[in-house]
Amino acid sequence: MCTIEDVTLPARLVESVSGDPPESPRRAWLAELPGLVRDLATRWRLRVGAPYQPGGSTSWVAPAERDGEHLVLKLGWRHVESWHEADGLRVWAGAGAVGLLEARVDDRTDALLIEACEPGEMLSRSLPPEQQDVVLAGLLRRLWVIPPSGHPFRPLADMCAWWTEEFKRRPAPDLDPGLVRAGIDLLCALPVSAPRQTLLCTDLHPDNVLSARREPWLAIDPKPYVGDPTYDALQHMLNFPDRLAADATGFADRMAGLLELDSRRLRLWLFARCVQESPDQRHLARVAAALAP
């Protein structure tokens, strides 16, 4: 472990801010990060190590220790995708997700002290794809809880509405205009037609599942919303472009079976997301065409 005076910045975080204008709020936040780390180390009585490299593009994450317990300190630039990570971890209380010990949130920073996953191997590097499906499905079924009354989580419909507006500003995808309309219409309709609403992780994929001692596998880095649990299978599937290209329908049906979901509804969600992502990920246009209802 390094001393707290040796606070350094992860390469990917520095790179992500390098294109910002000199007066940008994110540059100011990055300049303040060492002081924020030192303040939290004092406040939470931590011995903090060097950040994980190359790190992520929006957060500073490092190993920490308190009273002999191995922990992880995470300071994130507060942006729309990062909202309510701490709230979600509190609701799950370690059941399938990493445990939360401390949190401090303000207008610019989400600071979390969480349990360390050890040995911390990514699911994506530990098991073959078919076994990754099983592990991830088991976690999702546990994470789909009913949020408490008065919860702060945003509805999934808000995310889909934002994506729809973003889609309109991008170049036209390599798809028949009728399929494009169908996909975007579904992106708006599916969230409000869900037969049930649960707390969602929304970004669970094999890189965000780590091996641990308390449980074999734990989810990290959630982006909680409330909505249709069928949606939560999508990011995992989108992380396997070769499987989608080979047999998107079969992949969707497999995940629906593992998750005890309506397979037709999952195929519709996958079609809608492939249409929405196709301007930036051109290979998904072919997947969307194969899934067209």
Side-chain angles (χ1 to χ4, degrees):
M1 303 287 281
C2 69
T3 63
I4 198 61
E5 288 77 14
D6 295 331
V7 176
T8 57
L9 300 176
R12 195 170 291 159
L13 179 58
V14 173
E15 180 183 0
S16 73
V17 178
S18 62
D20 289 9
E23 68 281 3
S24 75
R26 201 160 60 135
R27 278 188 180 274
W29 175 79
L30 194 66
E32 294 169 1
L33 255 181
L36 294 174
V37 172
R38 294 187 186 101
D39 176 67
L40 288 170
T42 300
R43 182 183 300 268
W44 290 340
R45 300 179 291 104
L46 303 174
R47 185 178 178 214
V48 181
Y52 298 110
Q53 294 285 2
S57 60
T58 61
S59 60
W60 186 97
V61 185
E65 186 179 303
R66 180 168 69 183
D67 299 331
E69 184 178 11
H70 291 181
L71 304 167
V72 171
L73 178 62
K74 177 179 180 180
L75 280 75
W77 164 250
R78 188 161 172 76
H79 60 291
V80 66
E81 288 189 357
S82 72
W83 292 359
H84 306 309
E85 179 177 357
D87 297 308
L89 293 177
R90 285 192 189 98
V91 171
W92 289 313
V98 68
L100 176 70
L101 286 84
E102 310 271 8
R104 185 183 181 195
V105 177
D106 60 31
D107 291 342
R108 295 208 295 184
T109 307
D110 289 312
L112 285 70
L113 185 65
I114 56 180
E115 73 173 295
C117 292
E118 295 175 329
E121 293 295 325
M122 291 180 182
L123 176 61
S124 60
R125 299 177 182 174
S126 303
L127 295 175
E130 291 76 13
Q131 292 181 39
Q132 294 177 36
D133 297 345
V134 175
V135 170
L136 190 130
L139 289 174
L140 282 177
R141 289 198 307 271
R142 298 175 65 194
L143 296 173
W144 291 338
V145 299
I146 304 301
S149 61
H151 68 78
F153 306 110
R154 295 164 290 179
L156 179 63
D158 285 4
M159 180 195 292
C160 293
W162 183 83
W163 273 340
T164 298
E165 292 305 310
E166 285 292 300
F167 180 86
K168 294 174 182 177
R169 291 191 281 267
R170 288 185 289 175
D174 298 328
L175 275 171
D176 176 85
L179 288 184
V180 173
R181 286 193 298 273
I184 297 305
D185 286 349
L186 277 169
L187 194 64
C188 296
L190 285 168
V192 297
S193 65
R196 64 178 174 135
Q197 304 274 321
T198 69
L199 185 57
L200 307 178
C201 197
T202 79
D203 193 31
L204 194 61
H205 53 79
D207 286 352
N208 276 350
V209 177
L210 301 183
S211 61
R213 292 195 176 94
R214 180 172 62 81
E215 294 192 10
W217 301 100
L218 291 171
I220 63 167
D221 199 23
K223 298 174 175 59
Y225 281 76
V226 169
D228 183 0
T230 310
Y231 173 88
D232 246 359
L234 298 180
Q235 194 56 58
H236 170 67
M237 300 178 70
L238 293 171
N239 270 39
F240 288 97
D242 292 344
R243 297 173 73 185
L244 287 175
D247 185 8
T249 297
F251 193 8
D253 290 349
R254 169 176 169 76
M255 292 307 301
L258 290 171
L259 291 163
E260 301 176 359
L261 296 170
D262 181 335
S263 58
R264 180 177 181 277
R265 188 172 182 86
L266 180 51
R267 291 196 298 271
L268 291 175
W269 262 119
L270 184 58
F271 165 68
R273 277 298 311 276
C274 287
V275 169
Q276 176 257 324
E277 293 281 0
S278 62
D280 294 330
Q281 301 187 53
R282 298 172 70 91
H283 67 280
L284 292 179
R286 294 187 296 275
V287 178
L291 287 165

